[in-house]
Amino acid sequence: MKSKNAIGKSFKEVYSASKPLFIWNYGLTLLQGLLNAIPVIALQFFFDQITRIHEVDTKGIFLALGIVVLVKTVNYAIRAITSYNYEYYDLKISKDMVNKLNAKISRWNALRFEDSQNLDLIGRAYDGSRYLRRIVDTILLIALYYIPEIVVILFYLYSANAYLPLIVFVILATVFLIEKIQERFYVNIEKETALLTRKIKTYSGYLSALDYYKETKLLGLQKYFMELLHAAFDQRKTVRWKFFSKALRLDGCEKGILLAGKISIILILFLCVKQQAITIGVFAALLTSLNDVFNMMEGFINAFSEGLTEVIEKVRSFFAIVDEDPEDAIEGEPLQDDIHQIELKHVSFSYPNQTIEAIKNISLTIREGEHIAVVGKNGSGKTTLVKLLSGLYTPKTGDILYNGIPLENNRLFEKQSAVFQNYGKYAVSLEENIRLSDTNSNRMIDPIVKAVDMTGLNSQTVLSNLFGGIELSGGQWQRLAIARGFYRSCQWIYLDEPTSSIDPIEEGALFKLFHDLGKNKTSIIVTHRLGSIRFADRILVMDGGEIIGDGTHEELMLQCELYRNIWNSQARLFR
Amino acid sequence: MRKKYPRIQFIIKSFQADKIGALGMFLTKLVASISYGLEILLIAKLLDSLILTFTNSGTVDIGSFLAIILVWLMKSVSELLYKASKEHVSNSLSKSLSLEVLSKKQRIQYQELEKKENWDLMERVQADPSPKWIEGYQNLLDIWEDVLRAGWIFITIATAQWVIAILTLLFLLPYGILAVRNGQEEYTAYEESTRHFRIADYFRSILSNRENVEERILFHYQDWGKRKWKNEYSQAVQIERKANRKIFGRMGGLDILSAVTTGSIAFILLWSLLNASMTSGLYISIIKGIFEFVDEMSVSLAPTVISFEKSKYYLRDYSAFQSLPEETEEGREPFVCDQIETIEFKDVSFSYPSGNTPIIDHLHLTLYGNRKYALVGENGAGKTTLIKLLTGFYSQYEGEILINGREVRTIKREDLRRLFSVVYQNYAKYETTFSQNLLPNPTSDEKDEEIQKVLTSIGLRDILGQLPMGMHTPLGKLDPEGVDLSGGQWQLLAIARGLINDARIYVLDEPTASIDPIKEAEIYRIFKQALQNKFAFLITHRLGGARIADEIIVLKDGKVVEQGTHEELLRQSGKYHEMYQEQKSWYEK
């Protein structure tokens, strides 16, 4: 039932993407199909004349040949037009479908992207968006293009002997069945070799990936992994061949059945000629068209067995996203109100598919104008806390109140900004890299570029070496991310510590930069380096998803053991 | 040394990898094209005999009827065998070429390997190039088959009338040439649009990936992204549309030409038929044969030519890849070293071929045995490069680097490698057994006691105790029975590997960059303990950690600016003092 749905919906989408193109395109296909049937008839007539060349008027021969050539000429002309249209129509539909997906996915909340199943779904859906057309095309091509020619040939076969079409159908059915069985073998090949393929990929990575190359070489492990690779390749070869030879046997059966069918059809036709039930011209035309018929049949079966089932699966993922109306989607435009206070009440949070709570029962109030540092070990929940505060994640239990009111429909506040741990390194110009934090703003970027000391770069140069632009150093990208964060007009701003290593001098400078720019705002810095706390007037200490310390440095040194430990372990190095 | 790979390599490599399979592909294609020719002749004979029976002057030629069936059988069998041969060759090529590429990568000079353009090149060459090669071989076979089939048509007509046969060939020739040119043009047009599609795909991924989700939602830049995506996509479509108009226009023209050509051949041959130099059966058979051939060609010729063109670019890349300069053992002699006495850098300069500013700039440095040195300095000061020079990854430097008085470029690579044990910031996580990770090169005289001591001090003993097969437990997810370690555990394993490794020079390259502060202090303590009486480098920019070293070397812009003990350097009030004070100030509140 579901597959029917996908087919029906694909038709609807393809049709509504452009009605004129749909009608024009498939109208031409039908015309082609009809025209295709004519040469079969004309050829038969032509061959009939040829076999009696010395009895008939040569005019008829020329006429028949003329018709064949003319029809073929027209047909080729139409094919050129349809091929051209096909490409264009295809691109247009892909564009519309990707647009639909983009629109849907842009409403997804941030948490959905933490679930790898959702990421897989996105990948399959984008892939599937290219295949809606394929489904429609496969079905319509068979119905419009092939059927007329096949009907004519079947009619000829029927007129020779009533059993012949039956034989064709029997062969068709058997071959279809064999294909279905064979499909399983090929799926099995992939399954059985998946592990070996992964091994090959992994070992190759050890030998050649840039982050492994030096170490593998210095440890002298090349020979060892080369040997493992040899073995894995050989093993994969054996496994592949085992399944392939099984599939090949079925292939043999299929070819045998097709051959037997072809031979029996020819035999019957041959007898028909001898009994003068058909003319030699018909016999010749059918004899020479049998290849076409069987090729078409194989095309049929392929389209239906592997092509269509596979494709429908992909298209289903597309519709899974497009048709979904999720409750947790972000609705409406961001709120324009000023934020005076954010309050967490018994908030707990865990990531999808994980039992451990990343945030455990936190209650916390942050007021306008505070400068806060959140410290703690790796994995203590610091980053998650920021994502909850900024509204990217919604709590599993408990409430977050903005100015005393909970947010509805996962809406966000316009007046917040952040420099995230994995900020984007966008392959666009410096100016666009900054402006994308506030795409509706017309403010100049010059002051902020100056503030982060990046005036040396032309603001129109495309950055990142992805498409041949200028690549920045880690520190420069970080500065750019800060510029982006502060370009957005905001009252609240978050800074999550960078993951990539930048040296301490640079790090100190960045913290200072962030502090200076954020002086008149509410700022929250997350870090496990304590260099930042100089700028904070309130420090939160996190451990295991809980806040175990809240106060000034002096207060925490007295009250919070973990804080004291972290502090001392670093401070000791400088004593 | 420039290596060249002409297209004939597709054939040579296929035969080298799998003689039987490659020969099978060749022979089955040959059989298929012979069948095609035989079928034309046999059908002609059968039809002629049938026509004669109707005029009651002959008997049905059962022999040719059976022969047709035999030819069909031959065709089916050769198709099957072709498929089997191709699979066999693919499998063999996959192995031989993947390994060929990998072993080349092992030999390439490291500084070449680091270049972005060479990475792009290797990406294009691919880790498993076999699909490209099998496609190349198949492509050549296809062209050969087409030529053979055209030849059959020519010969068959020539048996009746050779003048017309030559005329037919003349008709087919321009068609072939034009089709080839079209294929080439199509290839270049798609090259151009592909770039825009790639950029469009990039924006599409920004709109839907995980990496950018936070900024995307908070900054609400979806509309901007959609606009960018649409812009690139439309440009690509425009280019394709423009090219397609030309290509499909010409293709349509070609197809019409082919219809007219075959029609003209049919008309000309009619005269042979009328003056009885050709039988009706042969005429029908040839006409059908030509129609079939031209129909097939009009569909398959363009892709074949495109594939042929593409293979040229691929081989160009492959040649460039194989021509990348390799490391050599030239001028390198064995080197025995029981103890490091001195390491000297004498006026060493090094810069990347692409960059004009030197990374290492006339550097002088002398180090003495069994001490621990800390290399400090800002990012880009040259710390990591200095170690890469010493460990032999770069050899195109000016000046001299001497270990115990011996220039490193004269030391046999294997002997040089054995001198070092390095713990990298991006340490390797080998998904093999625990023991393979810990002791990559096991020898019989491993001191078990020492290993246990390191494992205990680093806290790996407990982890090892929990593994089901002890030291022989496979790690990671590659083995179904494997046990995956946490990030921190992997790092401890990498550190233990570095410390247990029996080397003369130990290098710790920023080993604590992503470790939290408490753990960091602990690891510095372990280092200090494990590396007693050993020669070691510690690269760090956390100056608190640098203090475990006996001596500190401060690098700036590729030069040594300060060298001495912690106390000495503090007294000098130079760069080190400045950096130290800056970091210290974080803890003075």
Side-chain angles (χ1 to χ4, degrees), chain A residues 290-467:
Chain A
L290 264 187
N291 278 339
D292 289 351
V293 177
F294 278 86
N295 283 344
M296 265 190 281
M297 267 164 44
E298 275 190 276
F300 248 52
I301 290 160
N302 283 340
F304 266 109
S305 65
E306 50 185 292
L308 218 53
T309 43
E310 231 170 78
V311 162
I312 284 174
E313 205 46 56
K314 284 181 183 160
V315 169
R316 221 175 268 160
S317 303
F318 170 82
F319 285 115
I321 290 183
V322 169
D323 291 346
E324 192 196 26
D325 198 5
E327 279 175 20
D328 58 354
I330 305 162
E331 298 292 340
E333 293 298 306
L335 285 170
Q336 298 291 333
D337 304 355
D338 292 345
I339 312 169
H340 304 298
Q341 177 183 309
I342 301 179
E343 193 180 355
L344 270 63
K345 275 187 166 172
H346 303 291
V347 166
S348 292
F349 177 84
S350 59
Y351 284 92
N353 305 328
Q354 278 183 15
T355 44
I356 306 163
E357 287 189 323
I359 295 290
K360 283 180 203 151
N361 194 21
I362 286 184
S363 295
L364 172 73
T365 305
I366 298 173
R367 282 168 209 91
E368 205 172 359
E370 284 186 310
H371 301 292
I372 295 176
V374 185
V375 298
K377 291 196 258 182
N378 285 347
S380 57
K382 305 184 299 272
T383 299
T384 311
L385 181 67
V386 166
K387 289 180 181 171
L388 282 164
L389 284 170
S390 60
L392 284 173
Y393 293 168
T394 40
K396 284 273 143 67
T397 56
D399 290 306
I400 301 180
L401 308 177
Y402 294 83
N403 303 336
I405 309 160
L407 278 186
E408 277 171 27
N409 294 334
N410 303 306
R411 282 173 81 177
L412 294 169
F413 275 95
E414 186 79 340
K415 295 183 176 170
Q416 293 190 98
S417 191
V419 183
F420 290 106
Q421 199 165 49
N422 50 340
Y423 51 83
K425 298 175 179 178
Y426 301 94
V428 293
S429 70
L430 176 76
E431 176 162 0
E432 276 184 299
N433 253 300
I434 292 172
R435 278 189 186 277
L436 61 79
S437 70
D438 206 347
T439 50
N440 296 322
S441 165
N442 294 319
R443 271 176 300 124
M444 303 281 282
I445 59 159
D446 299 358
I448 192 76
V449 172
K450 213 170 154 195
V452 299
D453 196 19
M454 289 190 76
T455 43
L457 279 162
N458 183 337
S459 66
Q460 297 312 314
T461 331
V462 174
L463 305 181
S464 158
N465 56 16
L466 201 57
F467 299 111

Side-chain angles (χ1 to χ4, degrees), chain B residues 326-339:
Chain B
E326 295 180 6
E327 287 172 343
T328 56
E329 286 292 327
E330 211 176 307
R332 289 177 183 264
E333 301 289 332
F335 178 63
V336 184
C337 170
D338 294 323
Q339 175 110 9

